[in-house]
Amino acid sequence: MTATADAEAAANELTPLADYLGSVLRRLRALPPLDLDLTQAYGNVLAEDVVAPHAFPAFDQAAVDGYAARWEDISGAGRAAGGRAVRLNVVGDLGAASWRPVRLTPGSCFSVAAGAPLPVAADVVVPVEWTDQGMAAVEIYRTPKRGYGVRRAGEELPAGALLARAGTYVSPALVAVFAATGIGHVVVRPSPRVVVVATGDELVDVGRGSQPGQVVDANSHALTAAAAEAGALAYRVGICDDDPEGLRGLLEDQTLRADLIITTGGTGTGPGDMVRRILSRREGGRAGPVTFTEVALYPGTALGFGTVGAEEVPVVCLPGDPGAALIGFEVLARPAIQLLAGAEPVFRPSVRAHLLETVSSPGGLREFRPAHVAERRGGGYTVQPLSGGPFTLSGLAEANGLLVLGERVTTAAAGSTVDVLLLDRRR
């Protein structure tokens, strides 16, 4: 049997990624909802639909600074021979804090500030720059269209309007919409508390270079940042040695403050892969708390999922290679965080893009390769592959997307159309 045939036979024994993700996500439930003050709601996900209790604007108001008038009184301004002006008496001033109802009479107007309530019978606001800016009387040189400068009550959002559906992230603009329609608190899912643990006797903390027998812990820092980017309250515990009792004790302790635990390292079957040995070990005839699965994923096939502690806190176990750990986070941990948060959808958005360079991919594995996505001038997208495989980490540092090459793809030719996941990098 050839090496290629050996590789394909081995790949056929792996669990398809879609099947694995489905089995994991079905075991998770969104966190229980809670009622939060509007000032605390930003960044959380709505647990129920939100409907406007009041209209916005709440009353007829001026949209610009100017003079509130009746359109029939000014309709001839600037139109007659010689461009004559229309003269109106200014009977009062109205600011945003004015509250007494007033009414226009023929031939009169009110000086108004943007946001001021409109006088009864006013149906136009003439901008100040179209007038002589008079105080007792004003001359109007141009006639705006009827309704210009006027915002009617409920024009933007009527009472009873659906403001946002359950599953929507609360953005700053949405906070403003809620407040403007009279909402002071909303029911949301809390941001998941995610604890990140790096494992391995070989690990040393950042701030130094690696030596033989030592590996700088890049993963826990990167995964903590990735969890925060996904909307979680992320906590980095740091490095845990390959000590069975130490690892069990640490995980038990973290269940008190975690909605999800992410470990990195030790998911393989080598002599030093203690996480897999410890968490999958059968005790008293019962399976271990975490099941490790060989998934048809590249880079990094070994992933673990289960629960730990009396509270059965979910735990995701990712590989130790930094690039594989970040890809594993994208395909497994990030959707888990989104599901716990109640977000919809749980997966990143994807687009179809024109591939700029021919790439090869291992058969039988679904590859996620770093890429740069750009919008084409005539519409659509192009995608430029970046470093993948053993160099995935360096590629991810430049990527704003992940090129997805399916299990049956061994070569994707330049000019073909491919799927790309969009990363929400702030660039």
Side-chain angles (χ1 to χ4, degrees), residues 59-86:
F59 49 84
D60 294 347
Q61 62 183 230
V64 297
D65 296 333
Y67 296 86
R70 303 186 324 145
W71 187 82
E72 55 263 38
D73 286 341
I74 65 168
S75 60
R79 294 182 179 177
R84 71 177 179 84
V86 170

Side-chain angles (χ1 to χ4, degrees), residues 42-388:
Y42 165 72
N44 294 94
V45 175
L46 294 173
E48 57 186 34
D49 295 349
V50 179
V51 174
H54 304 287
F56 177 72
F59 49 84
D60 294 347
Q61 62 183 230
V64 297
D65 296 333
Y67 296 86
R70 303 186 324 145
W71 187 82
E72 55 263 38
D73 286 341
I74 65 168
S75 60
R79 294 182 179 177
R84 71 177 179 84
V86 170
R87 185 179 180 85
L88 297 177
N89 294 323
V90 181
V91 295
D93 300 322
L94 297 174
S98 299
W99 58 274
R100 293 183 182 277
V102 293
R103 177 180 291 273
L104 279 178
T105 56
S108 69
C109 66
F110 277 83
S111 173
V112 294
L118 281 180
V120 176
D123 58 3
V124 69
V125 177
V126 182
V128 291
E129 57 268 24
W130 293 6
T131 73
D132 68 349
Q133 303 182 33
M135 299 178 66
V138 62
E139 290 195 345
I140 298 171
Y141 303 126
R142 292 175 58 185
T143 303
K145 293 181 179 180
R146 190 191 300 268
Y148 182 88
V150 171
R151 297 187 70 194
R152 294 298 182 188
E155 180 180 284
E156 185 168 351
L157 295 167
L162 177 64
L163 302 180
R165 293 192 179 278
T168 303
Y169 268 106
V170 179
S171 66
L174 204 51
V175 169
V177 167
F178 292 160
T181 55
I183 294 171
H185 55 88
V186 288
V187 179
V188 300
R189 306 281 180 184
S191 296
R193 300 165 300 170
V194 176
V195 169
V196 179
V197 182
T199 66
D201 289 338
E202 75 280 10
L203 294 180
V204 294
D205 216 336
V206 296
R208 69 185 82 179
S210 294
Q211 303 293 328
Q214 295 181 340
V215 176
V216 172
D217 170 30
N219 291 16
S220 67
H221 295 277
L223 294 173
T224 303
E229 183 190 57
L233 300 175
Y235 306 93
R236 174 184 175 268
V237 172
I239 300 169
C240 179
D241 294 336
D242 288 328
D243 170 52
E245 293 307 315
L247 178 60
R248 288 195 187 96
L250 185 147
L251 294 180
E252 286 287 344
D253 289 344
Q254 295 306 315
T255 60
L256 300 176
R257 67 164 179 171
D259 299 306
L260 175 69
I261 297 173
I262 298 175
T263 71
T264 174
T267 62
T269 56
D273 291 323
M274 294 299 296
V275 170
R276 185 169 188 151
R277 292 186 183 185
I278 295 166
L279 297 184
S280 64
R281 180 177 298 163
R282 300 181 67 89
E283 295 183 0
R286 299 170 59 186
V290 177
T291 299
F292 289 83
T293 307
E294 301 301 316
V295 182
L297 170 67
Y298 184 75
T301 60
L303 299 174
F305 178 78
T307 60
V308 293
E311 297 297 322
E312 297 188 335
V313 174
V315 58
V316 168
C317 301
L318 302 177
D321 175 78
L326 284 172
I327 294 297
F329 178 90
E330 283 295 328
V331 301
L332 178 58
R334 190 179 192 280
I337 291 171
Q338 299 300 299
L339 196 154
L340 291 171
E344 298 177 8
V346 299
F347 298 108
R348 287 196 187 272
S350 65
V351 297
R352 299 280 286 169
H354 179 86
L355 185 60
L356 297 179
E357 178 183 315
T358 298
V359 293
S360 59
S361 183
L365 301 175
R366 181 167 291 265
E367 180 179 6
F368 291 81
R369 177 176 294 215
H372 187 269
V373 188
E375 290 192 55
R376 290 197 289 194
R377 184 170 297 177
Y381 296 86
T382 61
V383 57
Q384 175 63 52
L386 300 172
S387 296

